Amino acid sequence: MTSKLLVRFLSAQRLHAGAFGDQIGAFGTALADRGYAQGTIIEHVRLIAHLGCWLERQRLSVVDLDEAHARRFLAYRRRRGWKARSNAATLRLLLE
């Protein structure tokens, strides 16, 4: 069950999710249904939203996303100083 705060966050994040705008809410809800903590869901959704914007800047669509593009995105984030934490695991969830 998703909290009202999480539902509002997912709705707002949709506007900033780039290529994943239409799917971001479903991804967050799926994580909640799997029992993920609210803070973890927010972290994962922000990562996917960043990926969606990156895909658009690369002129790629969601259907173009594969492991090679995911690795390029993670390398891009590392070069920009983002902490890796569970980024690769989150992208694996998305690619399932």
Side-chain angles (χ1 to χ4, degrees), residues 11-73:
S11 294
Q13 199 64 34
R14 181 177 181 268
L15 301 173
H16 307 285
F20 285 104
D22 293 337
Q23 295 93 6
I24 203 81
F27 180 71
T29 301
L31 294 177
D33 290 346
R34 288 183 175 193
Y36 281 74
Q38 185 169 302
T40 303
I41 294 169
I42 289 170
E43 182 179 318
H44 289 343
V45 165
R46 284 184 176 149
L47 173 68
I48 299 307
H50 190 197
L51 171 61
C53 293
W54 180 84
L55 285 171
E56 284 187 343
R57 284 193 305 276
Q58 302 300 311
R59 297 180 189 204
L60 298 168
S61 71
V62 172
V63 296
D64 296 322
L65 182 61
D66 59 13
E67 288 187 36
H69 287 114
R71 282 192 300 273
R72 283 183 47 217
F73 170 69

Side-chain angles (χ1 to χ4, degrees), residues 3-19:
S3 73
K4 288 180 183 180
L5 175 66
L6 184 57
V7 169
R8 278 187 258 139
F9 169 77
L10 293 173
S11 294
Q13 199 64 34
R14 181 177 181 268
L15 301 173
H16 307 285

Side-chain angles (χ1 to χ4, degrees), residues 72-87:
R72 283 183 47 217
F73 170 69
L74 293 175
Y76 163 81
R77 282 179 59 92
R78 278 192 301 276
R79 285 191 310 272
R80 302 269 178 306
W82 291 81
K83 294 180 182 177
R85 290 192 57 183
S86 60
N87 292 348

